[in-house]
Amino acid sequence: MKTVIEARDERTQPARLVPGYPQTPLRNPREPLVSRQPTLSELTGPLEVARRVKLLGGDIAGHGEKRAIGQLIHLRVRVLDEDGAPVGGTVVEMWQANAAGRYIHPNDDDHAPPDPNFYGAARLVTDGNGLFELRTVKPGAYPVPTRDGWWRPPHVHFSLFGKVWLSRLVTQMYFPSEPLNAQDRILNAVPDAAARERLVARLIAPTGDPHNALVFEHQIVLRGREATPEQP
Ligand SMILES: [Fe+2]
C-alpha cells in the first residue's frame, strides 16, 4: 500500500518566518523543501518511547511549603488522531514559565524572579483515552527580548511523540480571554482563525474539585484537517 502524506496546509500552520521573533529564521529552512518518500523507520518508530524514558509526574505545582507561587490550574488534555480517535501511549513533554513569566533556563534573563519551588517541566504519557492531566500553576506573560519589546501571553509548550516519528508535534496551548492573545506574534502567525482557536484551551466551570484549581480542557489533534497547528 502506498503511504500518502498530506501536504501541509499553510493557512492552518504558522508562517515559517515571524517578524520580530528572532529564533524563527534559525528554525526554518531557507531553501524550498525537497519531497521524498518517508523511510520505514519514520513510519514505524519510535517503539516503546514511554518505556524508555523517565516520566516526570502529573503535579508540578507542589504542596505545603514546597508549593509554587501562582494560580493553581489543572490541565486535562486529550490527544487524538485525524479521525478523532484517542491516541494512548503518547509521550508528552511540557514546559512553561512560572507565575511571574520566568523560565528556569540559562537563556532567560532576570526580568522576573525564579520560583525555588517551580521548575516548570514534565513528561507524561496519555492513557487509553488519549488523556493526560497535570496540576500546575498558570504561567505568567513575559516580554520577548527584542528591540520593540513585545510580550508573549500565558502559554504552555508541548512536544508530543505520536505513534510514529511523522506524527511528532511541537505546539503551544493558550488560555481563553487573555488580552495578549490578540497581539501574540506566534499565535497570530497562523492565518486561519479556526486553526488558531484550536490552540486555545477551554475553562471548565469551577466545581471545587480538584481543590483550589481552575480546570482547563484542551485537545491536541496530531494530524489531518483538524490538526492542531505547530507552534515553534
Ligand atoms: Fe514560551
Side-chain angles (χ1 to χ4, degrees):
M1 189 179 77
K2 189 166 180 247
T3 304
V4 178
I5 305 296
E6 286 176 18
R8 168 178 157 126
D9 179 353
E10 296 293 341
R11 284 198 52 77
T12 67
Q13 297 295 333
R16 295 185 197 276
L17 300 179
V18 178
Y21 191 65
Q23 286 89 345
T24 52
L26 304 173
R27 292 175 181 168
N28 284 284
R30 288 161 202 239
E31 302 293 328
L33 299 181
V34 176
S35 180
R36 67 162 174 80
Q37 277 296 311
T39 65
L40 182 63
S41 64
E42 285 171 327
L43 294 170
T44 57
L47 294 175
E48 302 186 345
V49 178
R51 193 177 59 81
R52 294 190 207 192
V53 296
K54 192 170 172 215
L55 300 175
L56 304 166
D59 180 355
I60 59 172
H63 296 266
E65 287 182 1
K66 297 286 185 189
R67 159 83 152 82
I69 291 171
Q71 165 67 62
L72 270 186
I73 60 171
H74 185 95
L75 305 181
R76 280 189 194 130
V77 184
R78 288 189 77 213
V79 179
L80 306 171
D81 71 10
E82 61 264 58
D83 299 320
V87 185
T90 299
V91 171
V92 180
E93 295 177 319
M94 64 74 61
W95 62 101
Q96 66 164 90
N98 70 18
R102 172 81 182 261
Y103 285 102
I104 303 295
H105 191 279
N107 286 355
D108 208 352
D109 62 20
D110 57 359
H111 65 88
D115 178 346
N117 294 321
F118 192 74
Y119 183 70
R123 184 184 292 128
L124 306 151
V125 63
T126 60
D127 66 14
N129 296 316
L131 180 73
F132 69 89
E133 301 195 53
L134 180 70
R135 178 179 176 273
T136 179
V137 294
K138 188 173 175 191
Y142 60 81
V144 179
T146 55
R147 215 173 295 164
D148 56 348
W150 58 288
W151 282 62
R152 300 282 344 263
H155 60 276
V156 176
H157 295 263
F158 288 120
S159 163
L160 297 96
F161 292 96
K163 284 190 175 148
V164 298
W165 291 114
L166 288 177
S167 57
R168 169 99 192 276
L169 176 65
V170 176
T171 187
Q172 299 181 33
M173 186 200 86
Y174 298 84
F175 292 85
S177 306
E178 287 289 334
L180 287 169
N181 285 354
Q183 12 180 320
D184 183 55
R185 296 183 192 178
I186 303 297
L187 175 57
N188 292 287
V190 177
D192 184 71
R196 287 199 298 276
E197 212 37 53
R198 296 201 286 273
L199 293 166
V200 181
R202 197 161 61 96
L203 174 66
I204 301 305
T207 62
D209 186 31
H211 191 54
N212 286 343
L214 282 178
V215 179
F216 290 90
E217 287 187 351
H218 189 50
Q219 69 174 34
I220 297 175
V221 180
L222 293 173
R223 289 177 61 184
R225 266 213 308 226
E226 296 296 312
T228 303
E230 296 168 19
Q231 291 276 273

